[in-house]
Amino acid sequence: MAKAIAAARNGITHTWTNPVVGAVIVKNNQLLATGYHHRFGDMHAEINALSHLQDINDARGATMYVTLEPCSHYGKTPPCAKRLIEVGIKRVVIGQQDPNPLVSGHGIAILKAAGIAVTVLNKTADLNVAYTFFYQHHRPLVTLKYATSMDGKLNDGSKTRTLLTGKPAYHDSQTLRLHQQAILIGETTLTVDDPQLTVRDTTPDFPPIRIILVNNAADLNRNATVFQSDAPLWILCRQSTEQQKWPDFVSVFTDPTWAPQTIMQLLYEQGVQSLLIEGGAHTQAAFSTAGLVDRLVVYVAPLILGGSGLPAIWGTGCKQPLPFDLTATTQLGNDTRFDLRRQ
């Protein structure tokens, strides 16, 4: 299973809304083949492992170790469970039962009905944290990220963006974006920072969906940097913009409130499993107050701004403190990254 897990990690950031999965085939104490899910739409890990056998007949009587329950339905590929039966696999050791209701337990039942011995370890959920969370909680896993001074300020109080952290933190935040399916900011952050909201250290197979929350989409500056990339862009506006013409990469959703819960419902319906909230302070506060922040990533720069700078998570207060566990501390040049997980 350790080899299957290692193989699965090769697919990270390439499988979009599909989980990363690894598989190995063993027979007579010999490792015959290793496979993993390379990319969204490509063959699944089990089939990839079978394709690496010198002779498909070697699968008969073998054991497969796979990090996630073999699928049981027709999607972009045929059911893996049925293929394992066809080639004569004798035993399947599964790292995690699939939380997706289309599969959950059905693949295992198909294998057992065919006389295949099945063992479920429940030890590989950490490979697909957002995927598992999405199906368990019916919403995306939400990460709140911001950079702050030592005195908790996001900026120096001016109407322009304040650069706080150095290049190592910048590159680290790009990697953080790469691992998210969507990024959200509010209208003030859009106006003041004029961000791209893209991953710039590499070219991702599936760029995160860029989401901007605005009052009236008709008021948006079409020359803003966010419109200079054709990565998917969602505009959540409170006023209808039916008469507006938008580029093909832009999708507009209208709702008079756009409360955090409404945004979560939209993302769930669209199949988005992970969301990174990058700003601003009022958007951070709205999601925190709603209890919809699951993880925190905070970059702290060794400087003091003082004055009237905007503090993080500013606005609506929480009814009671939100407890988090500190899971990691990372030094990035002169800056420090703190990772926290909701208790």
Side-chain angles (χ1 to χ4, degrees):
M1 187 59 71
K3 292 183 181 295
I5 291 171
R9 294 190 186 282
N10 291 319
I12 291 175
T13 76
H14 302 295
T15 60
W16 190 226
T17 54
N18 280 359
V20 296
V21 184
V24 299
I25 301 171
V26 177
K27 188 176 182 180
N28 299 325
N29 294 320
Q30 297 295 317
L31 178 63
L32 301 184
T34 302
Y36 70 95
H37 183 37
H38 286 234
R39 194 174 186 274
F40 182 79
D42 286 354
M43 65 179 72
H44 288 183
E46 301 93 322
I47 310 305
N48 185 248
L50 290 171
S51 73
H52 291 143
L53 289 172
Q54 291 186 354
D55 185 339
I56 192 62
N57 291 319
D58 290 340
R60 189 161 301 279
T63 295
M64 175 173 283
Y65 291 81
V66 59
T67 58
L68 189 69
E69 176 182 3
C71 65
S72 55
H73 64 292
Y74 285 88
K76 290 185 176 294
T77 59
C80 293
K82 291 186 177 180
R83 181 58 177 158
L84 298 187
I85 294 168
E86 291 171 357
V87 299
I89 291 289
K90 174 178 74 171
R91 181 181 179 225
V92 179
V93 181
I94 297 169
Q96 177 196 8
Q97 182 171 318
D98 197 328
N100 184 343
L102 282 175
V103 180
S104 190
H106 302 303
I108 293 170
I110 289 173
L111 295 173
K112 287 183 175 180
I116 295 176
V118 177
T119 302
V120 182
L121 301 178
N122 293 320
K123 290 184 176 180
T124 58
D126 285 349
L127 274 174
N128 297 287
V129 174
Y131 175 84
T132 300
F133 184 96
F134 178 82
Y135 287 110
Q136 288 178 342
H137 299 274
H138 308 291
R139 68 169 178 84
L141 178 74
V142 178
T143 301
L144 176 57
K145 166 254 178 182
Y146 57 87
T148 181
S149 61
M150 293 295 293
D151 53 338
K153 303 292 179 58
L154 299 177
N155 62 35
D156 59 10
S158 66
K159 297 291 185 180
T160 58
R161 182 182 181 187
T162 303
L163 295 177
L164 299 175
T165 53
K167 286 187 177 180
Y170 166 80
H171 292 299
D172 186 80
S173 67
Q174 289 292 306
T175 301
L176 179 63
R177 281 184 179 180
L178 178 64
H179 288 80
Q180 306 294 319
Q181 292 177 6
I183 303 168
L184 172 69
I185 62 168
E187 191 163 10
T188 301
T189 301
L190 177 68
T191 303
V192 174
D193 290 0
D194 191 26
Q196 295 184 43
L197 298 180
T198 55
V199 177
R200 294 187 288 280
D201 283 351
T202 185
T203 303
D205 291 343
F206 303 94
I209 299 165
R210 302 169 299 156
I211 305 176
I212 54 177
L213 179 61
V214 302
N215 184 47
N216 189 340
D219 295 335
L220 288 173
N221 175 12
R222 296 297 188 91
N223 293 319
T225 305
V226 77
F227 290 106
Q228 308 312 309
S229 166
D230 61 0
L233 176 65
W234 290 5
I235 301 173
L236 310 188
C237 60
R238 296 185 175 90
Q239 298 181 30
S240 176
T241 59
E242 293 178 359
Q243 304 304 316
Q244 298 291 316
K245 291 185 178 180
W246 300 95
D248 292 340
F249 62 86
V250 176
S251 300
V252 178
F253 302 88
T254 304
D255 187 281
T257 60
W258 283 126
Q261 293 86 347
T262 348
I263 296 173
M264 288 293 95
Q265 183 60 33
L266 170 67
L267 297 185
Y268 176 69
E269 291 170 355
Q270 297 293 322
V272 176
Q273 298 168 7
S274 58
L275 173 67
L276 180 66
I277 298 175
E278 291 206 359
H282 293 284
T283 302
Q284 297 167 0
F287 276 84
S288 299
T289 302
L292 292 173
V293 175
D294 307 298
R295 294 188 167 188
L296 280 174
V297 175
V298 182
Y299 298 94
V300 179
L303 51 84
I304 292 176
L305 295 178
S308 58
L310 182 67
I313 315 181
W314 177 254
T316 307
C318 301
K319 293 181 180 178
Q320 54 185 334
L322 298 181
F324 286 82
D325 289 325
L326 179 64
T327 57
T329 304
T330 309
Q331 197 67 33
L332 299 166
N334 290 328
D335 307 311
T336 307
R337 168 175 164 163
F338 295 91
D339 286 76
L340 302 100
R341 181 174 55 209
R342 182 79 180 274
Q343 290 181 358

